[in-house]
């Protein structure tokens, strides 16, 4: 019975862990490239339409919209680029995570009627990815890794 249990553990836990060890560089790279591109593009779009975005920030009740709109839009754009490069990843992910918290609270909170609703927002998924990148870092395929090896 113990042999069967050990075989089951080997097949379901140890073998996948060994395979994953060879691919640990892949997950942070893919996450950084995808969310980086999304936020670079979104930030650039907002920078191109600042007047409309300032009106949105005002209607959402975000204070100092004349200052925070270009700051937030610029942060999305720059941090998106930095994430794709894997440069200052923890800081960039932290900044974008805070932006997601503010977006959820300011824009989406009125629509939250359950945990399922909250977890269904793309902003919540982005927040989870940013939390992971803030803690785990950029991974081996990044400028951060290259800089810290020296």
């Amino acid at each position: 019975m113990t042999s069967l249990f050990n075989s089951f553990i080997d097949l379901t836990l140890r073998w996948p862990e060994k395979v994953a060890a060879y691919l640990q560089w892949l997950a942070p790279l893919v996450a950084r490239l995808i969310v980086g591109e999304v936020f670079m593009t979104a930030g650039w779009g907002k920078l191109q339409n600042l007047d409309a975005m300032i009106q949105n920030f005002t209607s959402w009740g975000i204070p100092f919209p004349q200052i925070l709109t270009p700051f937030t839009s610029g942060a999305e754009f720059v941090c998106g680029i930095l994430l794709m490069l894997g440069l200052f990843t923890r800081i960039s992910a932290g900044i974008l995570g805070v932006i997601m918290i503010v977006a959820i609270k300011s824009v989406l909170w009125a629509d939250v009627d359950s945990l399922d609703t909250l977890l269904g927002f793309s902003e919540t998924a982005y927040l989870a990815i940013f939390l992971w990148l803030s803690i785990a870092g950029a991974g081996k395929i990044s400028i951060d890794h290259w800089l810290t090896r020296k």
Side-chain angles (χ1 to χ4, degrees), residues 3-146:
S3 176
L4 181 62
F5 179 75
N6 285 338
S7 295
F8 177 75
I9 294 300
D10 284 343
L11 181 65
T12 59
L13 297 176
R14 291 187 184 107
W15 179 76
E17 185 178 2
K18 287 178 184 176
V19 172
Y22 290 104
L23 299 173
Q24 286 201 347
W25 58 271
L26 185 59
L29 175 64
V30 170
R32 287 188 298 102
L33 291 175
I34 291 172
V35 297
E37 194 281 331
V38 166
F39 279 83
M40 178 195 68
T41 303
W44 181 251
K46 291 172 186 174
L47 288 169
Q48 301 307 305
N49 297 297
L50 273 178
D51 290 336
M53 289 309 302
I54 289 170
Q55 289 176 355
N56 288 343
F57 272 51
T58 303
S59 72
W60 294 327
I62 296 175
F64 312 110
Q66 297 285 347
I67 297 168
L68 290 178
T69 304
F71 175 79
T72 302
S73 303
E76 288 184 9
F77 177 68
V78 171
C79 290
I81 292 170
L82 292 173
L83 284 180
M84 288 190 293
L85 294 171
L87 179 60
F88 310 126
T89 300
R90 287 185 167 100
I91 294 168
S92 297
I95 290 168
L96 291 172
V98 169
I99 291 171
M100 290 302 93
I101 291 169
V102 172
I104 290 167
K105 176 66 176 96
S106 300
V107 181
L108 302 170
W109 197 252
D111 296 332
V112 175
D113 57 2
S114 68
L115 183 60
D116 282 344
T117 303
L118 177 62
L119 297 179
F121 295 140
S122 59
E123 290 81 0
T124 306
Y126 290 133
L127 178 59
I129 294 168
F130 294 140
L131 176 63
W132 175 60
L133 287 171
S134 294
I135 294 168
K140 289 185 178 183
I141 310 297
S142 67
I143 296 174
D144 287 347
H145 180 73
W146 181 79

